[in-house]
């Protein structure tokens, strides 16, 4: 590693193999410009003759192509370093994050969910719209017992569903789209279809119980989730828990594909245009509402037909039968019965859920950024940087662990875009394993 003036650094960079542009480090230092700019600034560069290596706990700074920072603005994560160097969380973290966010969101949206169920019941005697349904519940059952009937089941249902539906969306999309560019809509659609199907299968038993427990109290035969499970299995057989699973899979494949495609693309558009920053609850709220409108339009017909099957399985053998009955007897628009309540339940739910998810992931990124910043502060070569510059550089840090004998890096393969720093253990430079390699 060489430490010196910007002019000397540029000279070394031009000599390095595969160099096509200044590395991001010089951009973070604010020295991109005329030849004489920032003469006294220090910059660290790896030359092509050296083979930097790291072992267990290696710190890897991996910058990407970025636009220059906005003049006169110390923009947060919505700026270039936040958009391009947003700290990546472990792939598995999205699963518990999605489960926790959706579980907490139910606390705010259960009243609307119950009103939606009541408006979908045949006969319309429990309310023709969301307002009448809520008035009926509060009058007959009381404010808190009525509005939050079936809450524990609803929380379990949302968690079991969204741990797969939302939690696996990112990892599945990454498998389908390995490039660094934003994924196209059709790949997001496929990823949402896959994860939506998995979520529907995992949550169908809880979905059926929730629907039965959110009917008027005098119609409900269960006292708790366990009681409902035991009663259904004993009297109707375990297969009843998966009655309507085909409709649930179809509904969630369509709904999730549209919902997650719209939400992810809306969030990326808001961030890339520097309107909002990653980790902002407003970002999650706006993108969640936009995705809710799209998903309700797709899911409502299936949702209505499925409710008929859940509540009267002895009359409707499957969703297709119920769908045909509704269209022939009540008209096509009856399929959208409860759509307003569905939207007013879904929009707040998605808004709160994605807002909470942004808060959770944003908090986790802050923790990782603090860890990365502490690591950057321990590297002597970055001592000449200001506090702000080291703070920005910490966005591009990630930790890798290597086992004994692992090849860490081959000479030239990083294309002058990475620097490795050994934090713990030992490493050696070898010849004959490539053009020159670092080995743990």
């Amino acid at each position: 590693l060489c430490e010196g003036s910007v002019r000397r650094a540029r000279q070394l960079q031009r000599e390095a193999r595969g160099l096509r542009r200044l590395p991001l480090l010089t951009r973070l230092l604010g020295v991109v410009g005329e030849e004489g700019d920032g003469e006294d600034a220090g910059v660290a560069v790896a030359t092509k003759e050296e083979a930097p290596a790291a072992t267990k706990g290696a710190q890897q700074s991996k910058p990407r192509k970025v636009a220059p920072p906005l003049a006169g603005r110390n923009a947060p994560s919505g700026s270039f370093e936040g958009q391009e160097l947003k700290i990546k969380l472990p792939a598995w973290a999205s699963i518990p994050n999605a489960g926790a966010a959706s579980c907490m969101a139910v606390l705010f949206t259960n009243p609307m969910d119950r009103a939606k169920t009541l408006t979908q019941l045949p006969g319309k005697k429990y309310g023709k719209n969301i307002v009448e349904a809520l008035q009926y519940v509060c009058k007959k059952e009381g404010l808190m017992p009525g509005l939050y009937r079936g809450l524990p089941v609803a929380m379990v249902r949302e968690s079991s569903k969204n741990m797969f539906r939302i939690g696996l969306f990112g990892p599945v999309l990454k498998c389908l789209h390995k490039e660094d560019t934003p994924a196209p809509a059709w790949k997001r659609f496929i990823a949402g279809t896959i994860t939506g199907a998995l979520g529907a299968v995992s949550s169908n038993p809880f979905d059926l119980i929730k629907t039965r427990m959110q009917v008027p109290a005098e119609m409900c035969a269960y006292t708790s989730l366990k009681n409902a499970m035991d009663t259904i299995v004993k009297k109707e057989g375990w297969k009843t828990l998966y009655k309507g699973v085909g409709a649930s899979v179809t509904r969630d494949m369509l709904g999730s594909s549209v919902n997650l495609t719209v939400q992810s693309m809306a969030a990326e558009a808001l961030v890339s245009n520097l309107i909002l920053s990653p980790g902002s609850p407003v970002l999650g709220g706006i993108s969640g509402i936009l995705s809710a409108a799209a998903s309700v339009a797709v899911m409502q017909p299936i949702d209505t037909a499925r409710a008929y099957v859940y509540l009267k399985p002895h009359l409707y053998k499957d969703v297709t039968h119920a769908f045909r009955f509704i269209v022939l007897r009540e008209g096509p628009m009856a399929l959208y019965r409860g759509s307003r309540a569905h939207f007013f339940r879904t929009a707040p739910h998605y808004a709160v859920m994605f807002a909470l998810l942004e808060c959770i992931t944003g908090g986790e990124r802050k923790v990782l950024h603090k860890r990365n910043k502490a690591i950057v502060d321990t590297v002597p070569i970055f001592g000449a940087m200001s506090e702000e510059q080291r703070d920005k550089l910490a966005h591009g840090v990630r930790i890798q662990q290597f086992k004994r004998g692992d090849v860490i890096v081959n000479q030239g393969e990083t294309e002058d875009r990475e620097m490795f720093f050994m934090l713990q253990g030992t490493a050696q430079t070898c010849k004959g394993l490539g053009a020159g390699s670092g080995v743990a």
Side-chain angles (χ1 to χ4, degrees):
L1 294 177
C2 175
E3 181 177 5
S5 68
V6 175
R7 182 179 288 112
R8 175 57 178 161
R10 287 175 173 169
Q11 180 181 353
L12 292 173
Q13 291 161 1
R14 284 193 293 268
E15 295 173 357
R17 179 181 298 177
L19 178 64
R20 297 181 180 178
R21 63 188 67 83
L22 287 174
L24 180 62
L25 180 58
T26 57
R27 291 182 183 269
L28 292 173
L29 287 169
V31 297
V32 178
E34 298 299 327
E35 186 69 24
D37 291 345
E39 188 69 28
D40 295 330
V43 60
V45 183
T47 64
K48 68 176 182 178
E49 290 82 11
E50 297 168 328
T55 58
K56 182 179 180 182
Q59 172 194 351
Q60 181 178 358
S61 179
K62 189 174 183 180
R64 304 178 182 178
K65 288 196 296 184
V66 295
L70 297 177
R73 176 180 178 179
N74 181 23
S77 55
S79 65
F80 78 97
E81 65 267 21
Q83 175 67 6
E84 298 296 332
L85 289 177
K86 183 171 69 174
I87 296 174
K88 292 184 179 180
L89 299 174
W92 58 264
S94 60
I95 298 176
N97 288 349
S102 59
C103 187
M104 290 187 289
V106 177
L107 296 173
F108 299 91
T109 60
N110 196 75
M112 294 297 181
D113 194 21
R114 184 152 194 232
K116 178 179 74 77
T117 300
L118 293 176
T119 58
Q120 289 176 332
L121 296 177
K124 301 182 181 180
K125 63 179 181 178
Y126 303 106
K128 297 180 181 179
N129 53 53
I130 185 173
V131 176
E132 292 183 2
L134 291 174
Q135 289 176 343
Y136 174 88
V137 167
C138 293
K139 183 179 179 180
K140 294 289 185 179
E141 303 176 24
L143 184 62
M144 293 301 293
L147 296 180
Y148 285 93
R149 185 175 182 81
L151 177 63
V153 181
M155 296 177 73
V156 174
R157 180 255 186 188
E158 288 296 330
S159 296
S160 64
K161 178 179 181 178
N162 288 305
M163 286 175 66
F164 292 94
R165 190 179 76 90
I166 298 176
L168 291 179
F169 177 74
V172 172
L173 182 60
K174 188 175 182 180
C175 292
L176 297 175
H177 186 77
K178 300 183 182 298
E179 295 80 2
D180 290 334
T181 57
W186 67 269
K187 288 186 178 181
R188 300 171 194 255
F189 194 91
I190 293 175
T193 300
I194 295 172
T195 60
L198 294 174
V201 173
S202 66
S203 65
N204 196 82
F206 308 110
D207 211 1
L208 182 142
I209 295 172
K210 178 184 74 71
T211 301
R212 292 189 180 186
M213 292 189 70
Q214 286 186 337
V215 298
E218 63 270 15
M219 294 175 57
C220 183
Y222 315 119
T223 58
S224 64
L225 173 60
K226 184 178 184 303
N227 175 255
M229 282 277 193
D230 294 341
T231 303
I232 291 173
V233 171
K234 183 177 180 179
K235 293 184 177 181
E236 305 176 47
W238 67 269
K239 291 184 179 179
T240 302
L241 294 173
Y242 282 93
K243 195 172 185 67
V245 68
S248 296
V249 170
T250 303
R251 171 186 179 273
D252 284 357
M253 286 174 67
L254 292 173
S256 294
S257 58
V258 174
N259 171 245
L260 296 177
T261 298
V262 172
Q263 190 277 330
S264 60
M265 296 186 73
E268 287 182 8
L270 291 170
V271 171
S272 62
N273 288 289
L274 302 180
I275 298 174
L276 294 169
S277 300
S280 167
V282 179
L283 174 65
I286 293 176
S287 61
I289 291 173
L290 294 175
S291 67
S295 61
V296 168
V298 174
M299 293 191 298
Q300 184 60 39
I302 299 175
D303 214 23
T304 302
R306 188 182 60 164
Y308 273 56
V309 175
Y310 281 172
L311 297 172
K312 295 187 177 182
H314 57 286
L315 295 179
Y316 311 106
K317 60 182 181 180
D318 53 36
V319 171
T320 304
H321 183 206
F323 192 96
R324 184 168 58 248
F325 175 87
I326 295 170
V327 171
L328 295 178
R329 296 291 183 89
E330 305 178 42
M333 292 306 298
L335 292 170
Y336 283 92
R337 181 186 301 136
S339 59
R340 183 179 301 177
H342 190 181
F343 175 78
F344 281 110
R345 176 262 173 189
T346 303
H349 178 76
Y350 284 155
V352 172
M353 180 176 65
F354 284 112
L356 290 171
L357 189 57
E358 285 291 336
C359 289
I360 293 172
T361 55
E364 291 172 343
R365 288 193 181 98
K366 287 181 180 179
V367 172
L368 292 179
H369 179 268
K370 185 177 180 180
R371 179 206 65 181
N372 293 348
K373 176 62 166 51
I375 292 173
V376 169
D377 289 341
T378 64
V379 180
I381 200 170
F382 297 135
M385 292 184 179
S386 67
E387 187 74 16
E388 178 185 348
Q389 290 166 346
R390 292 198 300 272
D391 184 75
K392 292 179 180 179
L393 185 62
H395 284 279
V397 172
R398 65 188 177 97
I399 304 297
Q400 277 187 289
Q401 293 186 350
F402 297 90
K403 298 178 181 179
R404 182 180 298 274
D406 286 351
V407 176
I408 298 170
V409 61
N410 289 315
Q411 178 182 339
E413 72 178 9
T414 61
E415 296 185 358
D416 216 27
R417 293 169 59 82
E418 295 176 342
M419 290 183 291
F420 293 80
F421 297 93
M422 183 176 64
L423 300 178
Q424 182 180 349
T426 59
Q428 60 181 347
T429 302
C430 305
K431 291 185 178 180
L433 297 177
S437 306
V439 181

